């Protein structure tokens, strides 16, 4: 009752959130959701790619209809693109997407009654009390796939440990023993296992520079630096990195990729006062940019292509205590990424990746500048780096198959 009241009072305030504004009304209309055999919840872009991997890997014996929901427009765009271009009539799968409803219990009860899922797949850390309660009432099989949970999250969830006692999933497959132990502290030890992270499977194919759509737009005479997945809390540090590199190597073309598109406006203002030549990616129109240009990426889906052309890469979310962003993507494209000291969200990758020198971890902004400048001045052949990265990944692959087997088993049991 208290949880229901809290949501009812807070939803009007959530309308002010720039991230929730898109699709706000849809999040309050669970009665519009379609019936589905499997419901997959993918919070944002990263989880949406995992959902696409599951769609590609599922091989059902009988036709299956799947609903994939996401909290963000970026997530839905990724899912819709995959459904449109990759799902065929011979796969035995039909799929649709929608915004994830607000977790108000009244909404979730309606959503589950409309969808009537036999299996619910929650990707990574999607633990919602209202949803879990409604699924339990519907006798839906609940799976957490590719599960990960930070130590700070465990502390928060354990404050309401009694809330989870009757809402535990039927199966949790965590991406590391440490994550499995954290889930067990909330839900108890039963039904918890370990799986390889699906992201290892996704990273086995890198962008081929010969077919890269950005190839004709970047000057051959200038090095290309990518600052990927930059988060709001580290923007000032990244601004300083840009300034120092521009002073030391003014011919460098720099691609700035904010992690969240609602920060584009901030970067437009910032670059406007930095007295450097810059342009929006959407204004490039296929033409080659001049050496020394800063490119603000206001379009989505080209970060891997940029990694495939970069001489040096910094991956954000790591200069402030934010847990890091995906540094495996540039690595599999053949470039050793530079990251800051904070990368606990990717602890599942293993410390060996740093010990082997495949990822360069630095302690601060100035060290990041030094490492990036070294790579801009002395480019490294991509082949050996990519080969070492793929070897590391191959030894840890297989998560997609394990997850798909678990989903199909749950579907048969349901």
């Amino acid at each position: 009752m208290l949880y229901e009241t809290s949501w009812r009072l807070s939803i009007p305030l959530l309308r002010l959130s720039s991230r929730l504004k898109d699709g706000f009304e849809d999040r309050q209309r669970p009665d519009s959701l379609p019936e589905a055999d499997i419901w997959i919840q993918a919070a944002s872009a990263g989880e949406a790619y995992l959902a696409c991997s599951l769609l590609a890997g599922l091989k059902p014996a009988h036709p299956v209809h799947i609903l994939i929901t996401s909290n963000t427009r970026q997530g839905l765009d990724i899912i819709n693109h995959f459904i449109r271009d990759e799902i065929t009539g011979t796969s035995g799968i039909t799929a649709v997407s929608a915004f994830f409803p607000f977790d108000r219990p009244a909404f979730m009860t309606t959503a589950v009654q409309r969808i009537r899922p036999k299996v619910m797949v929650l990707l990574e850390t999607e633990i919602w009390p209202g949803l879990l309660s409604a699924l339990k009432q519907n006798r839906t099989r609940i799976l957490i796939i590719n599960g990960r949970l930070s130590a700070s999250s465990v502390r928060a969830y354990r404050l309401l440990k009694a809330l989870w006692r009757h809402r535990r999933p039927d199966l949790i497959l965590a991406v590391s023993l440490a994550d499995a132990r954290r889930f067990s502290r909330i839900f108890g030890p039963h039904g918890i296992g370990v799986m390889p992270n699906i992201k290892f499977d996704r990273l086995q194919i890198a962008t081929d520079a010969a077919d890269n759509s950005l190839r004709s737009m970047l000057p051959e005479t200038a090095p290309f630096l990518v600052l990927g997945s930059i988060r709001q809390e580290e923007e000032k540090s990244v601004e300083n990195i840009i300034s120092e590199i521009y002073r030391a190597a003014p011919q460098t073309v720099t691609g700035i990729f904010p992690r969240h598109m609602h920060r584009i406006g901030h970067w437009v203002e910032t670059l406007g006062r930095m007295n450097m030549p810059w342009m929006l990616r959407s204004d490039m129109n296929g033409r080659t940019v001049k050496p020394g240009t800063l490119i603000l990426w206001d379009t989505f889906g080209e970060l891997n292509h940029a990694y495939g052309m970069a001489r040096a890469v910094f991956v954000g979310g790591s200069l402030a205590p934010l847990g890091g962003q995906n540094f495996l993507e540039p690595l599999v494209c053949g470039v050793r990424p530079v990251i800051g000291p904070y990368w606990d969200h990717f602890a599942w990758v293993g410390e060996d990746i740093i010990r082997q020198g495949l990822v360069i971890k630095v302690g601060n902004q100035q060290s990041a500048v030094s490492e990036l400048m070294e790579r801009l001045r002395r480019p490294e052949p991509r082949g050996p780096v990519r080969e070492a990265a793929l070897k590391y990944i191959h030894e840890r692959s297989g998560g997609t198959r394990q997850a798909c087997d678990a989903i199909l088993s749950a579907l048969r049991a349901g």
Side-chain angles (χ1 to χ4, degrees):
M1 186 66 178
L2 179 60
Y3 190 66
E4 167 74 23
T5 302
S6 298
W7 268 103
R8 182 168 49 81
L9 295 176
S10 63
I11 284 176
L13 299 176
L14 295 177
R15 189 183 293 273
L16 302 176
S17 168
S18 58
R19 296 190 69 188
L20 296 176
K21 186 179 298 183
D22 190 5
F24 190 85
E25 298 303 326
D26 292 337
R27 302 171 202 266
Q28 300 183 83
R29 294 190 60 238
D31 56 338
S32 66
L33 294 169
E35 189 171 336
D37 301 298
I38 300 172
W39 179 3
I40 301 175
Q41 163 57 7
S44 190
E47 293 85 356
Y49 283 120
L50 299 182
C52 293
S53 292
L54 295 178
L55 289 178
L58 281 173
K59 308 296 180 187
H62 305 286
V64 171
H65 187 58
I66 300 176
L67 168 67
I68 310 101
T69 54
S70 182
N71 298 348
T72 69
R73 172 59 65 185
Q74 291 179 2
L76 288 182
D77 287 346
I78 292 166
I79 292 161
N80 289 334
H81 183 273
F82 185 88
I83 291 172
R84 183 184 68 243
D85 295 348
E86 303 296 335
I87 298 294
T88 67
T90 60
S91 67
I93 293 173
T94 54
V96 295
S97 71
F99 276 109
F100 184 65
F102 290 125
D103 195 53
R104 180 178 171 183
F107 289 174
M108 283 305 181
T109 297
T110 300
V112 172
Q113 289 174 347
R114 292 284 299 182
I115 301 166
R116 298 172 59 201
K118 298 173 183 175
V119 177
M120 178 81 226
V121 177
L122 302 168
L123 292 173
E124 298 208 334
T125 320
E126 288 295 276
I127 305 175
W128 296 96
L131 173 62
L132 292 175
S133 293
L135 292 169
K136 287 293 184 180
Q137 292 171 11
N138 190 62
R139 299 185 183 276
T140 299
R141 301 281 291 181
I142 306 169
L143 282 62
I144 293 181
I145 296 294
N146 225 65
R148 62 184 181 87
L149 202 59
S150 67
S152 59
S153 295
V154 171
R155 289 191 291 271
Y157 285 123
R158 279 179 60 81
L159 292 175
L160 299 171
K161 188 174 181 180
L163 183 69
W164 308 113
R165 187 175 301 126
H166 303 295
R167 295 172 173 84
R168 74 177 322 278
D170 297 280
L171 176 66
I172 299 173
L173 292 177
V175 294
S176 72
L177 284 171
D179 287 289
R181 284 192 291 268
R182 292 181 191 121
F183 277 108
S184 71
R185 292 180 64 193
I186 299 170
F187 294 111
H190 302 294
I192 299 179
V194 177
M195 63 174 286
N197 198 305
I198 294 172
K199 291 175 182 176
F200 280 125
D201 294 331
R202 289 191 52 80
L203 287 161
Q204 299 209 42
I205 300 176
T207 302
D208 185 346
D211 299 325
N212 197 313
S213 61
L214 300 180
R215 189 176 185 84
S216 62
M217 303 181 200
L218 299 172
E220 295 182 4
T221 57
F224 182 40
L225 165 67
V226 171
L227 305 172
S229 299
I230 304 304
R231 300 280 294 275
Q232 179 176 351
E233 294 85 344
E234 61 190 353
E235 285 171 346
K236 185 60 181 177
S237 295
V238 173
E239 178 184 340
N240 293 336
I241 289 173
I242 292 169
S243 296
E244 291 193 44
I245 289 179
Y246 187 77
R247 283 195 296 269
Q251 294 298 298
T252 301
V253 175
T254 300
I256 306 166
F257 288 78
R259 176 65 181 85
H260 299 118
M261 285 295 176
H262 68 268
R263 298 304 297 171
I264 291 293
H266 163 83
W267 280 105
V268 167
E269 180 181 341
T270 298
L271 295 174
R273 61 173 168 73
M274 288 179 70
N275 197 30
M276 302 175 189
W278 71 277
M279 67 187 306
L280 292 170
R281 165 66 181 94
S282 58
D283 291 337
M284 288 170 62
N285 297 321
R287 67 179 184 271
T288 303
V289 301
K290 296 179 180 179
T293 302
L294 281 74
I295 306 168
L296 176 57
W297 245 267
D298 61 338
T299 58
F300 191 72
E302 291 186 319
L303 183 55
N304 267 352
H305 288 283
Y307 287 151
M309 297 299 296
R311 183 180 294 185
V313 168
F314 172 78
V315 179
S318 60
L319 282 176
L322 301 166
Q325 297 292 150
N326 195 340
F327 50 72
L328 291 173
E329 292 174 340
L331 181 59
V332 85
C333 290
V335 56
R336 301 178 199 267
V338 176
I339 65 172
Y342 304 102
W343 62 294
D344 53 290
H345 287 178
F346 288 83
W348 54 267
V349 177
E351 288 275 357
D352 281 348
I353 204 156
I354 292 173
R355 283 194 287 266
Q356 293 178 22
L358 293 173
V359 174
I360 311 302
K361 185 179 75 170
V362 299
N364 52 47
Q365 162 197 312
Q366 193 54 53
S367 297
V369 171
S370 299
E371 290 290 348
L372 292 170
M373 285 301 306
E374 177 67 20
R375 279 150 184 74
L376 289 170
R377 290 173 178 141
R378 296 179 177 83
E380 184 176 13
R382 290 180 180 273
V385 175
R386 184 173 185 269
E387 183 178 343
L390 291 179
K391 180 177 183 294
Y392 190 97
I393 291 166
H394 179 72
E395 292 170 350
R396 295 159 175 83
S397 63
T400 304
R401 184 69 268 147
Q402 183 177 345
C404 289
D405 288 346
I407 294 168
L408 293 176
S409 177
L411 188 61
R412 290 191 295 268

